[in-house]
Amino acid sequence: MKLDDSTGIKKGLTNYGDPAFSVYIRKAFAKAMGYADHELERPIIGVIDTSSGFNSCHHNFPDLIDAVKRGVLSQGGLPMVFPTISLGEMFTAPTTMMFRNLMAMDTEEMIRAQPMDGVVLLGGCDKTVPAQLMGAVSADLPALSLVAGPMITGDYQGERLGACTDCRRFWRDYRAGALNDQEIGAVEDRLCATTGTCMVMGTASTMAALAEALGIMLPGGAAPPAVMADRRRQAEATGRTIVSMVRKNLRPSQILTPNAFENAIRVLMAIGGSTNAVIHLTAIAKRLGISLGLKRFNILSDETPLLVNVKPSGEFYMEDLWKAGGVPVVMKELEDVLHGDALTALGTTVAENLAAVHHPPEWQEVIRTRELPLAENGGLACLFGNLAPDGAVIKRSAASSRFLTHRGKAVVFNSLADLHSRIDAPDLAVTEDSVIVLQNAGPIGGPGMPEAGYLPIPKKLLRSGVKDMVRMSDARMSGTAFGTVVLHIAPEAAVGGPLALVRDGDMIELDVPRNRLEMLVAEETLAKRRESLVLPEPRFQRGYGKLYIDHIQQANLGCDFDFL
Ligand code: FES
């Protein structure tokens, strides 16, 4: 590659009114870091470092960055590492989702503002991968995603443990009185055995798999665990590949086509992926002018079997999926329904990449064959009806089959604070056939659409052995959670959606096979309730919170800002 004035160190000059001066002064400051002239003639690869003391999932990034740099240097590029904000799920209040768009803006603007010819997006924890993809597609510079990789499992009394499906199971048992304080403390010590992302098919694993399916991550890049040598080799190969993408000028807009998104949705269904991915994929596609639509998710879900036997839909963990061949083997099983001509970061097509995939021995336990799937259709379903005119989502693969068609009386909580103050009240009128409804936990009401949709089962029911019941809200749910939980109800209650009109005792009908969610209440009654409805006050009057509240879109539109 011959550098001209629009590439490398001469790209995007700082404006001092004299371009030649700007090059001279920039090179002088680059030389302060020890770079020689011949190095500054190379294509520059930005490497986004999202490590942070507040993000345990990205704790292996120093090692991965070393490997990426090796790969870049080996192909004649010059790696330049730079930071953006990081989002660690457990360390960010009120919820990382509130800051996904801020991270996307940071990513996009820093790619644009600094002199780089291509960029490696180093992410992993739930919101980081979609934020980086949203920013990178808007910047549309050659870009390649690399993730931290999942943790490997720990153990407790001989049982394998994985965050965070098992976190929730043990917490439920603790609430039910089956574990004491000492025992839950021992579980806490062992849940997260290594660095890396949650090792079940939560949002992080799902988004990594989808980046791979989209073709903007190397084949085989999603599943290798964070602590394995294979993860470092992926990083080194990512460094090599991004230089070749720069030489070919291969950009996200050429890779992320409507067909690539269909491939990703197929993979989402086959892996039993996180409900959050519906929002994130919608947002990434929308940045490219591609409208996915929840009904399209349903069509592809109905046509795609659930193949991956990983928690929370199945029984294994991400390290088992890696040993079984990872996403390439899943895509090989789906090959006849994928768009084989979709282009990938290697410059080859999906079909060309899959031609090289071989099944390892014993892979069928973790990745089922098309002939013997875990379920005939995909893990997610989108619901519509008078309770969710713009849609809602349920992870049917993690739900109890007996509740997939259900009628029950609503027990309504009008906020998270209301839920927490009353859910365990001994006199709460609730049975296992009730439907627990949470209002005002959506994008605006939450605020930030917290992962609070996995509503707790009342203690008195837990103690009598109830393990699941129908719960619904405008919130999200961690991809690691399980149960019959309806999420992302749109429009949300805080903007006056029908969810705001539900009252205790209303009959709610859930019919997942027919993709329906209804409240069986007369229209005149709803009209009266609508007239007297008082919407909650906006939570923020200044700063990023106000920008967020003023511009956030609803879940069915991907929760991106309306100006992006
Ligand atoms: Fe980071 Fe689960 S908390 S991936």
Side-chain angles (χ1 to χ4, degrees):
M1 178 178 179
K2 179 93 179 79
L3 283 181
D4 59 32
D5 287 353
S6 62
T7 60
I9 200 75
K10 296 178 188 165
K11 189 176 174 195
L13 291 175
T14 318
N15 191 358
Y16 292 112
D18 175 352
F21 173 77
S22 297
V23 173
Y24 149 75
I25 198 94
R26 177 177 286 175
K27 286 182 71 179
F29 276 77
K31 285 176 178 178
M33 296 186 277
Y35 292 116
D37 280 313
H38 71 94
E39 289 180 288
L40 297 175
E41 290 300 311
R42 296 177 177 191
I44 295 177
I45 305 300
V47 181
I48 300 184
D49 180 3
T50 54
S51 60
S52 159
F54 294 106
N55 193 337
S56 59
C57 307
H58 294 187
H59 215 57
N60 61 344
F61 278 12
D63 276 0
L64 295 188
I65 288 169
D66 272 355
V68 171
K69 285 168 139 181
R70 273 203 328 269
V72 171
L73 289 166
S74 75
Q75 299 303 303
L78 178 63
M80 293 269 204
V81 181
F82 68 100
T84 67
I85 61 167
S86 186
L87 297 173
E89 281 297 304
M90 309 307 167
F91 299 89
T92 309
T95 166
T96 51
M97 187 62 184
M98 192 164 147
F99 303 103
R100 183 201 64 177
N101 297 349
L102 182 64
M103 185 172 177
M105 289 168 77
D106 186 359
T107 303
E108 175 183 348
E109 299 305 334
M110 288 303 101
I111 292 173
R112 283 188 201 283
Q114 300 172 125
M116 67 191 80
D117 301 296
V119 61
V120 173
L121 312 165
L122 201 40
C125 196
D126 294 15
K127 306 306 175 295
T128 60
V129 172
Q132 291 185 322
L133 290 179
M134 290 162 72
V137 301
S138 291
D140 205 27
L141 209 64
L144 197 49
S145 178
L146 172 69
V147 289
M151 297 181 246
I152 55 175
T153 48
D155 74 286
Y156 173 69
Q157 296 183 343
E159 183 187 351
R160 285 177 91 188
L161 284 189
C164 240
T165 303
D166 298 320
C167 318
R168 294 172 205 287
R169 182 165 56 82
F170 279 103
W171 188 252
R172 182 194 62 196
D173 292 349
Y174 172 64
R175 275 175 50 79
L179 260 68
N180 62 30
D181 287 350
Q182 203 180 356
E183 287 165 332
I184 196 72
V187 171
E188 184 184 290
D189 283 346
R190 288 156 177 260
L191 271 168
C192 300
T194 68
T195 182
T197 49
C198 294
M199 62 288 238
V200 296
M201 194 55 77
T203 305
S205 302
T206 301
M207 291 311 300
L210 299 190
E212 187 177 332
L214 283 166
I216 199 158
M217 175 188 287
L218 291 181
V227 294
M228 297 296 182
D230 193 8
R231 174 53 57 200
R232 281 146 191 78
R233 287 194 291 269
Q234 285 291 334
E236 196 268 349
T238 299
R240 277 187 279 122
T241 306
I242 188 64
V243 179
S244 77
M245 290 173 76
V246 168
R247 295 205 162 106
K248 294 175 199 150
N249 196 22
L250 183 51
R251 293 163 183 267
S253 56
Q254 294 162 272
I255 296 171
L256 302 183
T257 59
N259 283 353
F261 280 100
E262 287 215 350
N263 286 347
I265 295 172
R266 295 260 189 206
V267 168
L268 171 64
M269 301 307 167
I271 63 177
S274 163
T275 45
N276 285 315
V278 177
I279 295 178
H280 298 321
L281 272 182
T282 300
I284 298 163
K286 224 162 151 275
R287 294 280 183 118
L288 291 153
I290 300 168
S291 170
L292 298 181
L294 294 182
K295 291 193 170 139
R296 189 76 195 132
F297 279 87
N298 268 348
I299 292 167
L300 294 174
S301 184
D302 286 345
E303 294 174 359
T304 311
L306 175 66
L307 298 179
V308 172
N309 191 8
V310 168
K311 289 187 176 191
S313 301
E315 49 186 318
F316 291 97
Y317 296 90
M318 286 300 288
E319 68 198 76
D320 307 307
L321 179 64
W322 168 59
K323 288 174 188 163
V327 175
V329 170
V330 179
M331 292 180 73
K332 186 82 181 166
E333 274 303 295
L334 295 174
E335 190 166 10
D336 61 313
V337 293
L338 295 179
H339 297 286
D341 56 353
L343 190 62
T344 71
L346 291 171
T348 49
T349 64
V350 165
E352 286 167 333
N353 296 347
L354 292 181
V357 173
H358 299 290
H359 295 116
E362 313 277 335
W363 62 278
Q364 296 97 332
E365 248 196 308
V366 185
I367 305 170
R368 295 289 185 84
T369 60
R370 289 286 288 283
E371 293 71 37
L372 282 174
L374 281 176
E376 290 297 332
N377 44 30
L380 303 183
C382 300
L383 310 171
F384 299 89
N386 70 351
L387 193 43
D390 293 336
V393 176
I394 185 170
K395 191 171 196 173
R396 60 185 166 193
S397 58
S400 303
S401 53
R402 73 192 175 96
F403 284 132
L404 291 177
T405 308
H406 180 74
R407 272 188 186 195
K409 286 189 178 169
V411 179
V412 182
F413 299 90
N414 64 17
S415 67
L416 277 164
D418 182 31
L419 175 83
H420 294 144
S421 70
R422 291 196 295 121
I423 188 72
D424 291 329
D427 60 348
L428 185 72
V430 64
T431 71
E432 72 176 302
D433 289 325
S434 303
V435 173
I436 298 186
V437 176
L438 172 66
Q439 302 164 327
N440 298 312
I444 290 176
M449 209 179 175
E451 287 190 341
Y454 180 66
L455 308 178
I457 294 171
K459 265 185 184 167
K460 65 179 181 184
L461 295 182
L462 280 174
R463 288 188 176 132
S464 63
V466 173
K467 290 197 165 21
D468 191 15
M469 57 193 296
V470 177
R471 291 157 275 174
M472 57 186 60
S473 71
D474 44 12
R476 295 175 302 118
M477 172 175 89
S478 165
T480 62
F482 52 90
T484 312
V485 184
V486 177
L487 305 153
H488 309 183
I489 291 178
E492 64 173 302
V495 298
L499 179 66
L501 307 179
V502 184
R503 299 289 176 265
D504 280 337
D506 287 350
M507 188 61 77
I508 307 286
E509 184 174 56
L510 172 67
D511 188 342
V512 178
R514 291 177 53 238
N515 301 102
R516 302 301 299 166
L517 180 62
E518 307 277 354
M519 55 176 155
L520 307 179
V521 180
E523 186 46 49
E524 313 83 76
T525 309
L526 293 178
K528 274 194 200 131
R529 290 179 189 173
R530 202 172 286 118
E531 271 170 27
S532 58
L533 186 65
V534 180
L535 297 181
E537 286 292 310
R539 303 277 186 107
F540 302 99
Q541 302 302 331
R542 63 169 298 280
Y544 176 72
K546 175 148 177 62
L547 177 85
Y548 175 91
I549 292 289
D550 287 349
H551 295 285
I552 191 72
Q553 296 179 302
Q554 291 291 293
N556 58 307
L557 300 176
C559 294
D560 204 354
F561 289 152
D562 54 12
F563 58 85
L564 292 173

